[in-house]
Amino acid sequence: MARVELRNLSKVWDSSVAVNGIDLSIADREFVAILGPSGCGKSTTLFMLAGVYMPTGGEIRFDDAVVNDVEARDRNVGIVFQSYALYPNMSVLQNIMFPLRFQKVDNPEAKARDMADLVQVGELLDRRPSQLSGGQQQRVALARALVKRPNLLLLDEPLSNLDATLRLTMRSEIRRITRELGVTTVLVTHDQLEATTMADRVICMRAGQIEQVGSAEDLYLRPETLFVASFIGSPPINLIAGEGRNGRVEAGDQRIETGQDGQLTIGIRPEMITVAETGLPGTIRVVEAMGREILYAAETNFGLIRFLEATSQPRWRDGDQVALAFQPEQTLLFGAEGKRIADHYAKLGVTTDA
Amino acid sequence: MSSSKFRQASNALLFLGPASLFLIGLLLVPIIVDLVVSFTDMNQTIKVDEFTTKQFRKLVKPSEEAWFGFELRSSFYRALMLSAIYVFFTLTIFNIGFALVLALTTTALPGRLGGLFRAIWLLPRMSPSVVYALLWLWVVDPTDRGLLNQILSITGLGPINPKLDAPIMVIVCANGFIGASMGMLILTSAIRSIPEHLFHAARADGAGGLSVIRHIVLPALRWPLSYITVFQFLALLVSFEYIFLIMGPARSTMTMSMLSYTKTLAPDTGSGQYAYGAAITLILIVIGMAVALLLWRLTNMKQLLTQPRIEVQ
Ligand SMILES: Nc1ncnc2c1ncn2[C@@H]1O[C@H](COP(=O)(O)OP(=O)(O)OP(=O)(O)O)[C@@H](O)[C@H]1O
Ligand SMILES: [Mg+2]
């Protein structure tokens, strides 16, 4: 229904820069997620798309038309707020019908009822928002955002107030509904699982800027920066910082071949590390059961290294000696600026006579 | 009495005691004294010679045709009407209408500016009544020195004498300008307590400024507005200080509360008729109670007092 383009978009508050020149294009009917830590400017970006905040620089285009100065009510966007922002004095039906008051539509009530059925709150139409559970409020908010058939649907952490089970069902629910309606959607979240499972493309933001745009796989396997590498993935990636000399980073009698010199950070995901016959020697220090996997942390010459094993019972105990191994292609190498050095990997070497 | 029961009782006494004493001493006792005095012939000498209903007979006289067999005497009727006009217009135009407009506009203004405007409206509250009254005397002064007349002379219109030509307007304005500030404060904080996202949501849903006021702001102000109505009604009904300070004991603004004051305590106006004043006051108390109960019913105030009414999600 709408292509969206952001060009060098900025928002400066009195004292701080919330959004600092971002460029982004979103295809028609695409579902993108904006992911980033608290305070990085996700909501601000979303509110600028909605027309609630005015940008202080740059351009917003819907289908090639600049909409910077178009008021929220003329943009035809639907928005679901983190707090849902349902009108407390109106019933569910009145809430859903509210956007239709300002449009010339035939039989608004029937449209609102259809939308209520779509999000499965058809039984609750006479209730007040205060009489609804969090999940029901969220659906009503979604129905209200969708009832006028917006060009663009904006979701600001819509699932953050829900319990784990409900969050799971609502994820696929939202996906189903947006597909069914074919609406371009921007989801803001700081939950990486939510972003990666729901969105076609994930936009990772940091301190008002876009750090990386890509598929979930891109961000996980090929993060461009140290920030993305450490933000994506749970448990977090192991980061080994060191000085590269003669193409290797050394610690005691251990060394990792990097083929690069200078300030380096080596990233290895916990799920990529295995216990092998030979490898980096370590002493188990932490054993933590995480559902069907066990998370260990072993003390090595390069510091504490986390790794995962998919067993239901712990194989190792505190104090056990293990040798850790990993595939070079599954490692990430970052230079001094925190940028990934593409096509370079880290490889374990085990000799003292270097 | 067991010791825990005794403790409960003594705690109750400790906590409720001061408030109860306060209520009894400052509210109940005066009402009872007023009730008793109104049925006596007490005057300057503060002596009670007999118990009588003659004070009330100064206000009403028996009549065949009238309701309840009584007819209001003309001075009392006049005071009643003046009170009604004065209270009604001050309440609707200023204490509610103007307060609402002020609250809406100052909250719509960007932060500092709105605060500045509200502070300006609070100034009269902070200055002593006499100073405020003097200010009004200067504004409505019938000579060329009066502010209103100075402004009028610029536009080429002749001098006017508001105290003579529009006395009710003068006291409505004088009380209204100061009275609006209370409503303004309460309504401002009520508007402030509306979650900001509701405004954003309404904008995104397509609502314009007036629709936002109608669908988002006014529903949230329902309870504060009822409260202000009841509270200010009662306050206005018995208020007389600005009327007295600005108009003096003029017949044109002799409302019920003014009548009661001038007949009893006011200096140099044939005062000292304590029993007569008490009778008028008694009628004011009855009217106040009746209207307050009526408004209470109409606005469902009981709900307001029993549960919090500002819904925040
Ligand atoms: N109305 C405002 N006035 C001033 N500063 C603001 C305002 N709104 C946001 N900011 C600032 O802008 C920055 C970005 O805020 P924003 O709400 O976009 O963060 P966010 O990424 O949505 O964070 P969260 O995940 O916590 O919701 C923050 O530093 C915040 O303090
Ligand atoms: Mg946010």
Side-chain angles (χ1 to χ4, degrees), chain A residues 1-282:
Chain A
M1 293 185 173
R3 256 176 311 118
V4 178
E5 202 161 324
L6 308 183
R7 290 191 189 163
N8 197 21
L9 188 69
S10 306
K11 177 73 187 178
V12 181
W13 295 110
D14 296 340
S15 53
S16 63
V17 182
V19 175
N20 192 0
I22 62 177
D23 293 288
L24 178 70
S25 25
I26 303 166
D28 188 20
R29 290 163 188 256
E30 196 181 9
F31 193 124
V32 300
I34 301 181
L35 178 65
S38 195
C40 71
K42 306 181 297 287
S43 300
T44 308
T45 308
L46 203 72
F47 289 167
M48 284 195 283
L49 280 171
V52 170
Y53 292 164
M54 290 296 137
T56 47
E59 267 180 16
I60 303 173
R61 288 165 179 263
F62 288 0
D63 287 332
D64 294 325
V66 178
V67 296
N68 280 33
D69 297 326
V70 177
E71 281 203 49
R73 57 174 168 151
D74 300 320
R75 287 195 191 186
N76 198 20
V77 294
I79 179 163
V80 175
F81 294 86
Q82 185 172 344
S83 57
Y84 311 136
L86 297 177
Y87 308 122
N89 55 299
M90 299 182 201
S91 70
V92 166
L93 183 64
Q94 288 169 327
N95 262 282
I96 300 177
M97 275 173 63
F98 189 72
L100 298 178
R101 274 175 181 274
F102 310 103
Q103 295 185 333
K104 286 190 193 72
V105 291
D106 307 326
N107 207 347
E109 188 170 332
K111 281 205 168 61
R113 283 179 187 278
D114 286 348
M115 196 48 74
D117 288 337
L118 186 71
V119 301
Q120 296 167 0
V121 292
E123 263 80 84
L124 309 170
L125 291 177
D126 295 329
R127 298 233 196 133
R128 292 282 160 126
S130 56
Q131 300 168 316
L132 299 179
S133 73
Q136 292 166 337
Q137 290 187 37
Q138 200 247 330
R139 284 171 219 236
V140 175
L142 194 61
R144 186 183 63 184
L146 287 169
V147 73
K148 60 179 178 186
R149 296 297 166 128
N151 293 330
L152 179 63
L153 177 65
L154 305 170
L155 308 169
D156 189 6
E157 310 202 18
L159 306 181
S160 57
N161 292 347
L162 307 185
D163 64 55
T165 342
L166 197 54
R167 200 179 302 183
L168 220 61
T169 30
M170 283 313 297
R171 263 188 215 157
S172 44
E173 202 98 311
I174 290 179
R175 226 25 268 249
R176 170 181 70 83
I177 292 163
T178 53
R179 274 216 191 95
E180 221 158 281
L181 301 178
V183 57
T184 311
T185 307
V186 180
L187 167 80
V188 157
T189 177
H190 55 229
D191 180 341
Q192 46 168 310
L193 210 58
E194 201 169 292
T196 50
T197 52
M198 291 174 76
D200 303 322
R201 234 161 19 119
V202 179
I203 294 135
C204 191
M205 276 187 77
R206 175 202 194 183
Q209 287 176 317
I210 291 183
E211 196 83 356
Q212 185 172 354
V213 180
S215 66
E217 201 183 68
D218 285 336
L219 298 190
Y220 180 75
L221 293 177
R222 292 173 288 279
E224 276 161 21
T225 63
L226 204 52
F227 172 78
V228 176
S230 52
F231 192 70
I232 306 279
S234 164
I237 192 168
N238 291 297
L239 294 174
I240 300 166
E243 181 82 19
R245 274 198 213 96
N246 304 324
R248 62 183 62 150
V249 174
E250 291 183 338
D253 60 349
Q254 299 297 321
R255 66 171 206 246
I256 296 176
E257 310 272 359
T258 55
Q260 293 281 312
D261 287 353
Q263 194 60 47
L264 294 174
T265 305
I266 301 156
I268 315 168
R269 298 213 175 266
E271 48 275 39
M272 307 291 188
I273 295 177
T274 54
V275 175
E277 293 286 300
T278 58
L280 181 66

